[in-house]
Amino acid sequence: MDELTILYEDNHIIVVMKPQGLPSCGDESGDDNMLEQVRRYVKEKYNKPGNVYIGLIHRLDRPTGGVMVFAKTSKAASRLAEQMRNGDFEKKYLAVLVGTPKEPKGTLVNYLKKNPVNNMVYICTQTTDGAKMASLEYRVLEEKGGYCLADIKLHTGRTHQIRVQMAGISHPVYGDMRYGGENAKKGNLALWAYSLTFTHPVTKERLRFMLEPPAENVPWKNFDLAKALEL
């Protein structure tokens, strides 16, 4: 059985850590993925016959790690999906950025369009066919050696959103060779989904799960993560 890092589990949901480099769900690569790992875990642990239902609620980009929630019933999945649509599902990230934005905190609003041929996302105008509005808040927590640690809260969940929007203001995420251009620093993408807050689909209790990035790894180890997360 795959070694899943489980933060919480009950009859309705399971909250896990997604490692960096693992897809959230099946894709054209055919590689193993979080959805299948969770399905195998539930099937084996509870000795369930046949095809086990696991609902994919949200995704993290393959190079991004952090907290994910999956539904164990279709009812839980539909209620969590509704929270996503209503903006009741709060996702926060830590990112190490190249350089430091001039404004220590701000809101970025752009229109993005995905090119399915090269799987790249571009900033475009509102009138561009297929354009989707993307919004996030960022806050600089710490600066060190030409980089900064930023807290980022998503208002929308677009593909590659944080990476594209931060690169759009010339402060790409550390390790982002795809969008960072000449400014990119080679290494693991320093983007981590550290906080997930939502209402339990059955008990209605408000839940928050937090998970620190791999603190021993570059560039995370250069920053005070415990202080950033107020642990």
Side-chain angles (χ1 to χ4, degrees), residues 12-65:
H12 313 284
I13 60 172
I14 180 168
V15 181
V16 297
M17 180 197 83
K18 182 184 105 55
Q20 291 184 282
L22 195 68
S24 294
C25 56
D27 60 17
E28 63 281 354
S29 72
D31 293 343
D32 196 16
N33 58 79
M34 284 307 299
L35 182 62
E36 287 306 316
Q37 284 197 7
V38 172
R39 185 175 282 128
R40 287 198 299 268
Y41 161 80
V42 170
K43 185 178 176 68
E44 291 176 35
K45 181 175 180 182
Y46 301 101
N47 219 356
K48 286 182 176 266
N51 193 27
V52 173
Y53 177 86
I54 299 293
L56 180 73
I57 309 303
H58 62 121
R59 291 175 173 83
L60 293 177
D61 291 349
R62 184 173 184 144
T64 305

Short mmCIF file of all heavy atoms in Angstrom, two decimals, residues 12-65:
data_model
loop_
_atom_site.label_atom_id
_atom_site.label_comp_id
_atom_site.label_asym_id
_atom_site.label_seq_id
_atom_site.Cartn_x
_atom_site.Cartn_y
_atom_site.Cartn_z
N HIS A 12 -16.93 10.40 5.54
CA HIS A 12 -17.38 11.27 4.46
C HIS A 12 -16.23 11.88 3.65
O HIS A 12 -16.38 12.08 2.45
CB HIS A 12 -18.24 12.40 5.02
CG HIS A 12 -19.28 11.90 5.98
ND1 HIS A 12 -20.43 11.26 5.56
CD2 HIS A 12 -19.33 11.92 7.34
CE1 HIS A 12 -21.14 10.91 6.63
NE2 HIS A 12 -20.51 11.31 7.71
N ILE A 13 -15.13 12.20 4.32
CA ILE A 13 -14.01 12.88 3.66
C ILE A 13 -12.68 12.30 4.11
O ILE A 13 -12.59 11.65 5.16
CB ILE A 13 -14.01 14.41 3.94
CG1 ILE A 13 -13.87 14.68 5.45
CG2 ILE A 13 -15.25 15.08 3.34
CD1 ILE A 13 -13.67 16.16 5.79
N ILE A 14 -11.65 12.54 3.31
CA ILE A 14 -10.29 12.19 3.69
C ILE A 14 -9.38 13.34 3.25
O ILE A 14 -9.47 13.80 2.10
CB ILE A 14 -9.85 10.84 3.11
CG1 ILE A 14 -8.42 10.50 3.51
CG2 ILE A 14 -10.03 10.78 1.59
CD1 ILE A 14 -8.02 9.06 3.23
N VAL A 15 -8.57 13.86 4.18
CA VAL A 15 -7.67 14.98 3.92
C VAL A 15 -6.24 14.44 3.95
O VAL A 15 -5.83 13.78 4.91
CB VAL A 15 -7.85 16.09 4.97
CG1 VAL A 15 -6.92 17.28 4.66
CG2 VAL A 15 -9.30 16.56 5.02
N VAL A 16 -5.49 14.70 2.88
CA VAL A 16 -4.15 14.11 2.73
C VAL A 16 -3.14 15.15 2.28
O VAL A 16 -3.50 16.25 1.85
CB VAL A 16 -4.17 12.96 1.70
CG1 VAL A 16 -5.07 11.82 2.15
CG2 VAL A 16 -4.61 13.45 0.32
N MET A 17 -1.87 14.77 2.37
CA MET A 17 -0.80 15.59 1.80
C MET A 17 -0.49 15.07 0.40
O MET A 17 -0.24 13.89 0.21
CB MET A 17 0.47 15.50 2.64
CG MET A 17 1.61 16.34 2.06
SD MET A 17 3.25 15.91 2.69
CE MET A 17 3.67 14.54 1.64
N LYS A 18 -0.51 15.98 -0.57
CA LYS A 18 -0.05 15.63 -1.91
C LYS A 18 1.42 15.97 -2.04
O LYS A 18 1.80 17.13 -1.87
CB LYS A 18 -0.83 16.39 -3.00
CG LYS A 18 -0.36 15.97 -4.42
CD LYS A 18 -1.04 16.76 -5.51
CE LYS A 18 -0.16 17.80 -6.15
NZ LYS A 18 1.12 17.34 -6.72
N PRO A 19 2.27 14.98 -2.31
CA PRO A 19 3.69 15.30 -2.52
C PRO A 19 3.88 16.06 -3.83
O PRO A 19 3.07 15.97 -4.75
CB PRO A 19 4.36 13.92 -2.60
CG PRO A 19 3.32 12.92 -2.22
CD PRO A 19 2.00 13.56 -2.47
N GLN A 20 4.97 16.80 -3.90
CA GLN A 20 5.31 17.47 -5.15
C GLN A 20 5.68 16.43 -6.20
O GLN A 20 6.27 15.40 -5.90
CB GLN A 20 6.49 18.43 -4.93
CG GLN A 20 6.10 19.64 -4.07
CD GLN A 20 7.24 20.63 -3.94
OE1 GLN A 20 8.17 20.41 -3.17
NE2 GLN A 20 7.16 21.72 -4.66
N GLY A 21 5.29 16.71 -7.45
CA GLY A 21 5.66 15.82 -8.55
C GLY A 21 4.64 14.74 -8.86
O GLY A 21 4.77 14.03 -9.85
N LEU A 22 3.61 14.62 -8.03
CA LEU A 22 2.57 13.61 -8.25
C LEU A 22 1.31 14.30 -8.78
O LEU A 22 0.86 15.28 -8.19
CB LEU A 22 2.26 12.89 -6.93
CG LEU A 22 1.48 11.59 -6.99
CD1 LEU A 22 2.31 10.49 -7.66
CD2 LEU A 22 1.08 11.15 -5.59
N PRO A 23 0.72 13.81 -9.88
CA PRO A 23 -0.50 14.44 -10.38
C PRO A 23 -1.65 14.29 -9.38
O PRO A 23 -1.70 13.33 -8.62
CB PRO A 23 -0.81 13.66 -11.67
CG PRO A 23 0.45 12.94 -12.02
CD PRO A 23 1.17 12.70 -10.73
N SER A 24 -2.58 15.25 -9.40
CA SER A 24 -3.76 15.17 -8.53
C SER A 24 -4.69 14.05 -8.97
O SER A 24 -5.34 13.40 -8.16
CB SER A 24 -4.53 16.49 -8.55
OG SER A 24 -3.77 17.51 -7.96
N CYS A 25 -4.78 13.83 -10.31
CA CYS A 25 -5.64 12.79 -10.86
C CYS A 25 -5.00 12.29 -12.14
O CYS A 25 -3.97 12.80 -12.57
CB CYS A 25 -7.05 13.34 -11.11
SG CYS A 25 -7.07 14.79 -12.17
N GLY A 26 -5.62 11.29 -12.75
CA GLY A 26 -5.04 10.71 -13.96
C GLY A 26 -4.90 11.73 -15.08
O GLY A 26 -5.75 12.59 -15.27
N ASP A 27 -3.81 11.64 -15.83
CA ASP A 27 -3.60 12.52 -16.99
C ASP A 27 -2.95 11.71 -18.11
O ASP A 27 -2.78 10.49 -18.00
CB ASP A 27 -2.77 13.76 -16.61
CG ASP A 27 -1.38 13.41 -16.06
OD1 ASP A 27 -0.92 12.26 -16.27
OD2 ASP A 27 -0.75 14.28 -15.44
N GLU A 28 -2.57 12.43 -19.15
CA GLU A 28 -2.03 11.74 -20.33
C GLU A 28 -0.71 11.03 -20.06
O GLU A 28 -0.30 10.15 -20.81
CB GLU A 28 -1.88 12.72 -21.53
CG GLU A 28 -0.91 13.88 -21.34
CD GLU A 28 -1.49 15.02 -20.51
OE1 GLU A 28 -2.70 14.97 -20.16
OE2 GLU A 28 -0.73 15.95 -20.20
N SER A 29 -0.03 11.39 -18.95
CA SER A 29 1.25 10.74 -18.62
C SER A 29 1.04 9.27 -18.22
O SER A 29 1.94 8.45 -18.35
CB SER A 29 1.96 11.48 -17.48
OG SER A 29 1.27 11.25 -16.24
N GLY A 30 -0.17 8.97 -17.70
CA GLY A 30 -0.43 7.62 -17.23
C GLY A 30 0.24 7.30 -15.90
O GLY A 30 0.21 6.16 -15.43
N ASP A 31 0.85 8.32 -15.27
CA ASP A 31 1.56 8.11 -14.00
C ASP A 31 0.57 7.89 -12.85
O ASP A 31 -0.60 8.28 -12.95
CB ASP A 31 2.44 9.32 -13.67
CG ASP A 31 3.59 9.47 -14.65
OD1 ASP A 31 3.89 8.50 -15.38
OD2 ASP A 31 4.19 10.57 -14.71
N ASP A 32 1.08 7.29 -11.78
CA ASP A 32 0.26 7.15 -10.59
C ASP A 32 -0.15 8.55 -10.12
O ASP A 32 0.52 9.55 -10.41
CB ASP A 32 1.07 6.44 -9.50
CG ASP A 32 0.17 5.92 -8.38
OD1 ASP A 32 -1.06 5.83 -8.58
OD2 ASP A 32 0.72 5.60 -7.31
N ASN A 33 -1.25 8.65 -9.38
CA ASN A 33 -1.75 9.96 -8.99
C ASN A 33 -2.46 9.87 -7.65
O ASN A 33 -2.75 8.78 -7.14
CB ASN A 33 -2.68 10.50 -10.09
CG ASN A 33 -3.85 9.57 -10.35
OD1 ASN A 33 -4.82 9.56 -9.60
ND2 ASN A 33 -3.76 8.76 -11.42
N MET A 34 -2.74 11.03 -7.07
CA MET A 34 -3.34 11.09 -5.72
C MET A 34 -4.71 10.43 -5.68
O MET A 34 -5.03 9.71 -4.73
CB MET A 34 -3.48 12.54 -5.26
CG MET A 34 -2.19 13.19 -4.80
SD MET A 34 -1.30 12.27 -3.54
CE MET A 34 -2.48 12.23 -2.20
N LEU A 35 -5.54 10.67 -6.67
CA LEU A 35 -6.89 10.11 -6.68
C LEU A 35 -6.83 8.58 -6.59
O LEU A 35 -7.55 7.96 -5.80
CB LEU A 35 -7.63 10.56 -7.94
CG LEU A 35 -9.09 10.10 -8.08
CD1 LEU A 35 -9.95 10.65 -6.95
CD2 LEU A 35 -9.65 10.52 -9.43
N GLU A 36 -5.94 7.97 -7.39
CA GLU A 36 -5.83 6.52 -7.38
C GLU A 36 -5.21 6.01 -6.08
O GLU A 36 -5.58 4.95 -5.58
CB GLU A 36 -5.03 6.04 -8.59
CG GLU A 36 -5.78 6.15 -9.91
CD GLU A 36 -7.13 5.46 -9.87
OE1 GLU A 36 -7.23 4.33 -9.35
OE2 GLU A 36 -8.11 6.07 -10.34
N GLN A 37 -4.26 6.75 -5.53
CA GLN A 37 -3.65 6.34 -4.27
C GLN A 37 -4.68 6.32 -3.14
O GLN A 37 -4.72 5.39 -2.33
CB GLN A 37 -2.48 7.25 -3.91
CG GLN A 37 -1.23 6.99 -4.73
CD GLN A 37 0.03 7.59 -4.12
OE1 GLN A 37 0.01 8.12 -3.01
NE2 GLN A 37 1.13 7.50 -4.84
N VAL A 38 -5.51 7.37 -3.11
CA VAL A 38 -6.55 7.42 -2.08
C VAL A 38 -7.56 6.29 -2.29
O VAL A 38 -7.98 5.62 -1.34
CB VAL A 38 -7.25 8.80 -2.08
CG1 VAL A 38 -8.46 8.79 -1.14
CG2 VAL A 38 -6.27 9.90 -1.66
N ARG A 39 -7.92 6.04 -3.54
CA ARG A 39 -8.87 4.96 -3.85
C ARG A 39 -8.31 3.61 -3.40
O ARG A 39 -9.02 2.81 -2.79
CB ARG A 39 -9.17 4.96 -5.35
CG ARG A 39 -10.24 3.95 -5.74
CD ARG A 39 -10.60 4.05 -7.20
NE ARG A 39 -11.48 5.17 -7.45
CZ ARG A 39 -11.29 6.10 -8.36
NH1 ARG A 39 -10.22 6.07 -9.12
NH2 ARG A 39 -12.16 7.08 -8.52
N ARG A 40 -7.03 3.35 -3.69
CA ARG A 40 -6.43 2.08 -3.29
C ARG A 40 -6.39 1.94 -1.77
O ARG A 40 -6.65 0.87 -1.22
CB ARG A 40 -5.00 1.96 -3.85
CG ARG A 40 -4.94 1.72 -5.34
CD ARG A 40 -3.58 1.18 -5.77
NE ARG A 40 -2.49 2.10 -5.49
CZ ARG A 40 -2.04 3.02 -6.35
NH1 ARG A 40 -2.61 3.16 -7.54
NH2 ARG A 40 -1.03 3.80 -6.03
N TYR A 41 -6.05 3.05 -1.11
CA TYR A 41 -5.97 3.03 0.35
C TYR A 41 -7.33 2.66 0.97
O TYR A 41 -7.41 1.80 1.84
CB TYR A 41 -5.51 4.41 0.86
CG TYR A 41 -5.83 4.66 2.32
CD1 TYR A 41 -5.04 4.12 3.33
CD2 TYR A 41 -6.94 5.42 2.67
CE1 TYR A 41 -5.35 4.33 4.67
CE2 TYR A 41 -7.26 5.65 4.00
CZ TYR A 41 -6.45 5.10 4.99
OH TYR A 41 -6.78 5.30 6.31
N VAL A 42 -8.40 3.32 0.51
CA VAL A 42 -9.73 3.06 1.06
C VAL A 42 -10.17 1.63 0.74
O VAL A 42 -10.72 0.93 1.59
CB VAL A 42 -10.75 4.10 0.51
CG1 VAL A 42 -12.17 3.71 0.86
CG2 VAL A 42 -10.42 5.49 1.06
N LYS A 43 -9.89 1.19 -0.48
CA LYS A 43 -10.27 -0.16 -0.90
C LYS A 43 -9.60 -1.22 -0.02
O LYS A 43 -10.24 -2.17 0.45
CB LYS A 43 -9.90 -0.38 -2.36
CG LYS A 43 -10.38 -1.71 -2.94
CD LYS A 43 -10.00 -1.81 -4.41
CE LYS A 43 -10.37 -3.15 -5.00
NZ LYS A 43 -11.82 -3.37 -5.09
N GLU A 44 -8.29 -1.03 0.23
CA GLU A 44 -7.54 -2.02 1.01
C GLU A 44 -7.86 -1.94 2.49
O GLU A 44 -8.07 -2.96 3.15
CB GLU A 44 -6.03 -1.83 0.77
CG GLU A 44 -5.61 -2.21 -0.64
CD GLU A 44 -4.14 -1.92 -0.90
OE1 GLU A 44 -3.32 -2.06 0.03
OE2 GLU A 44 -3.81 -1.53 -2.04
N LYS A 45 -7.92 -0.73 3.04
CA LYS A 45 -8.14 -0.57 4.48
C LYS A 45 -9.50 -1.13 4.90
O LYS A 45 -9.63 -1.76 5.95
CB LYS A 45 -8.02 0.89 4.89
CG LYS A 45 -8.22 1.09 6.40
CD LYS A 45 -7.99 2.51 6.86
CE LYS A 45 -8.23 2.61 8.36
NZ LYS A 45 -8.06 3.98 8.87
N TYR A 46 -10.52 -0.87 4.09
CA TYR A 46 -11.87 -1.25 4.47
C TYR A 46 -12.37 -2.50 3.72
O TYR A 46 -13.53 -2.85 3.81
CB TYR A 46 -12.83 -0.08 4.25
CG TYR A 46 -12.43 1.13 5.06
CD1 TYR A 46 -11.75 2.19 4.47
CD2 TYR A 46 -12.67 1.18 6.44
CE1 TYR A 46 -11.35 3.29 5.22
CE2 TYR A 46 -12.26 2.28 7.18
CZ TYR A 46 -11.61 3.33 6.57
OH TYR A 46 -11.19 4.42 7.31
N ASN A 47 -11.41 -3.11 2.96
CA ASN A 47 -11.75 -4.37 2.29
C ASN A 47 -12.98 -4.23 1.41
O ASN A 47 -13.88 -5.08 1.46
CB ASN A 47 -11.98 -5.45 3.35
CG ASN A 47 -11.40 -6.78 2.91
OD1 ASN A 47 -10.90 -6.88 1.80
ND2 ASN A 47 -11.52 -7.78 3.75
N LYS A 48 -13.03 -3.16 0.63
CA LYS A 48 -14.22 -2.88 -0.18
C LYS A 48 -14.13 -3.60 -1.53
O LYS A 48 -13.11 -3.54 -2.19
CB LYS A 48 -14.35 -1.37 -0.41
CG LYS A 48 -14.81 -0.61 0.82
CD LYS A 48 -14.97 0.87 0.50
CE LYS A 48 -15.51 1.64 1.69
NZ LYS A 48 -16.96 1.78 1.68
N PRO A 49 -15.21 -4.23 -1.94
CA PRO A 49 -15.20 -4.89 -3.25
C PRO A 49 -15.49 -3.90 -4.38
O PRO A 49 -16.02 -2.81 -4.14
CB PRO A 49 -16.36 -5.89 -3.12
CG PRO A 49 -17.31 -5.22 -2.18
CD PRO A 49 -16.48 -4.41 -1.23
N GLY A 50 -15.13 -4.28 -5.58
CA GLY A 50 -15.49 -3.48 -6.76
C GLY A 50 -14.78 -2.14 -6.81
O GLY A 50 -13.75 -1.92 -6.18
N ASN A 51 -15.37 -1.21 -7.56
CA ASN A 51 -14.78 0.11 -7.78
C ASN A 51 -15.17 1.05 -6.64
O ASN A 51 -16.34 1.32 -6.44
CB ASN A 51 -15.24 0.67 -9.13
CG ASN A 51 -14.43 1.88 -9.55
OD1 ASN A 51 -13.27 2.01 -9.15
ND2 ASN A 51 -15.02 2.75 -10.33
N VAL A 52 -14.20 1.53 -5.90
CA VAL A 52 -14.45 2.40 -4.74
C VAL A 52 -14.67 3.83 -5.20
O VAL A 52 -13.89 4.36 -6.00
CB VAL A 52 -13.26 2.33 -3.76
CG1 VAL A 52 -13.41 3.34 -2.64
CG2 VAL A 52 -13.13 0.93 -3.18
N TYR A 53 -15.71 4.49 -4.69
CA TYR A 53 -15.98 5.89 -5.05
C TYR A 53 -15.07 6.82 -4.24
O TYR A 53 -15.05 6.78 -3.01
CB TYR A 53 -17.44 6.28 -4.78
CG TYR A 53 -17.68 7.74 -5.09
CD1 TYR A 53 -17.99 8.15 -6.38
CD2 TYR A 53 -17.54 8.72 -4.10
CE1 TYR A 53 -18.17 9.49 -6.68
CE2 TYR A 53 -17.71 10.07 -4.40
CZ TYR A 53 -18.03 10.44 -5.69
OH TYR A 53 -18.18 11.77 -5.99
N ILE A 54 -14.31 7.66 -4.95
CA ILE A 54 -13.57 8.77 -4.33
C ILE A 54 -13.82 9.99 -5.20
O ILE A 54 -13.60 9.95 -6.41
CB ILE A 54 -12.05 8.48 -4.24
CG1 ILE A 54 -11.76 7.25 -3.38
CG2 ILE A 54 -11.31 9.71 -3.67
CD1 ILE A 54 -12.10 7.40 -1.90
N GLY A 55 -14.30 11.06 -4.58
CA GLY A 55 -14.62 12.28 -5.33
C GLY A 55 -13.46 13.26 -5.34
O GLY A 55 -12.94 13.62 -4.29
N LEU A 56 -13.06 13.68 -6.54
CA LEU A 56 -12.02 14.71 -6.70
C LEU A 56 -12.67 16.08 -6.57
O LEU A 56 -13.52 16.44 -7.39
CB LEU A 56 -11.35 14.55 -8.07
CG LEU A 56 -10.24 15.56 -8.39
CD1 LEU A 56 -8.98 15.26 -7.59
CD2 LEU A 56 -9.92 15.53 -9.88
N ILE A 57 -12.30 16.84 -5.55
CA ILE A 57 -12.96 18.13 -5.27
C ILE A 57 -12.18 19.29 -5.90
O ILE A 57 -12.75 20.24 -6.41
CB ILE A 57 -13.06 18.36 -3.73
CG1 ILE A 57 -13.70 17.14 -3.06
CG2 ILE A 57 -13.84 19.63 -3.43
CD1 ILE A 57 -15.07 16.76 -3.58
N HIS A 58 -10.87 19.21 -5.82
CA HIS A 58 -10.02 20.28 -6.35
C HIS A 58 -8.69 19.66 -6.78
O HIS A 58 -8.40 18.51 -6.46
CB HIS A 58 -9.80 21.38 -5.30
CG HIS A 58 -9.09 20.90 -4.07
ND1 HIS A 58 -7.90 21.42 -3.62
CD2 HIS A 58 -9.41 19.92 -3.17
CE1 HIS A 58 -7.53 20.79 -2.51
NE2 HIS A 58 -8.43 19.88 -2.23
N ARG A 59 -7.91 20.44 -7.48
CA ARG A 59 -6.62 19.93 -7.98
C ARG A 59 -5.49 20.82 -7.50
O ARG A 59 -5.68 22.01 -7.26
CB ARG A 59 -6.60 19.91 -9.51
CG ARG A 59 -7.51 18.90 -10.15
CD ARG A 59 -7.48 19.06 -11.67
NE ARG A 59 -8.21 18.02 -12.37
CZ ARG A 59 -9.52 18.01 -12.58
NH1 ARG A 59 -10.25 19.03 -12.12
NH2 ARG A 59 -10.10 17.04 -13.23
N LEU A 60 -4.31 20.23 -7.42
CA LEU A 60 -3.07 20.99 -7.29
C LEU A 60 -2.22 20.65 -8.51
O LEU A 60 -2.20 19.49 -8.94
CB LEU A 60 -2.30 20.61 -6.02
CG LEU A 60 -2.95 20.98 -4.68
CD1 LEU A 60 -2.08 20.46 -3.52
CD2 LEU A 60 -3.13 22.49 -4.55
N ASP A 61 -1.52 21.65 -9.07
CA ASP A 61 -0.61 21.38 -10.18
C ASP A 61 0.37 20.29 -9.78
O ASP A 61 0.75 20.18 -8.60
CB ASP A 61 0.20 22.64 -10.54
CG ASP A 61 -0.65 23.73 -11.16
OD1 ASP A 61 -1.81 23.45 -11.52
OD2 ASP A 61 -0.14 24.86 -11.28
N ARG A 62 0.80 19.52 -10.75
CA ARG A 62 1.73 18.42 -10.47
C ARG A 62 2.96 18.83 -9.64
O ARG A 62 3.32 18.14 -8.68
CB ARG A 62 2.17 17.78 -11.80
CG ARG A 62 3.05 16.57 -11.62
CD ARG A 62 3.30 15.87 -12.95
NE ARG A 62 4.07 14.66 -12.74
CZ ARG A 62 3.92 13.54 -13.42
NH1 ARG A 62 3.03 13.46 -14.38
NH2 ARG A 62 4.66 12.48 -13.17
N PRO A 63 3.63 19.95 -9.95
CA PRO A 63 4.82 20.31 -9.16
C PRO A 63 4.51 20.95 -7.81
O PRO A 63 5.42 21.24 -7.04
CB PRO A 63 5.58 21.31 -10.04
CG PRO A 63 4.70 21.65 -11.18
CD PRO A 63 3.42 20.87 -11.08
N THR A 64 3.22 21.19 -7.52
CA THR A 64 2.82 21.81 -6.25
C THR A 64 2.44 20.75 -5.24
O THR A 64 1.74 19.79 -5.58
CB THR A 64 1.62 22.75 -6.48
OG1 THR A 64 1.95 23.69 -7.51
CG2 THR A 64 1.26 23.50 -5.21
N GLY A 65 2.90 20.91 -4.01
CA GLY A 65 2.52 19.98 -2.94
C GLY A 65 1.60 20.66 -1.95
O GLY A 65 1.38 21.87 -2.01
#
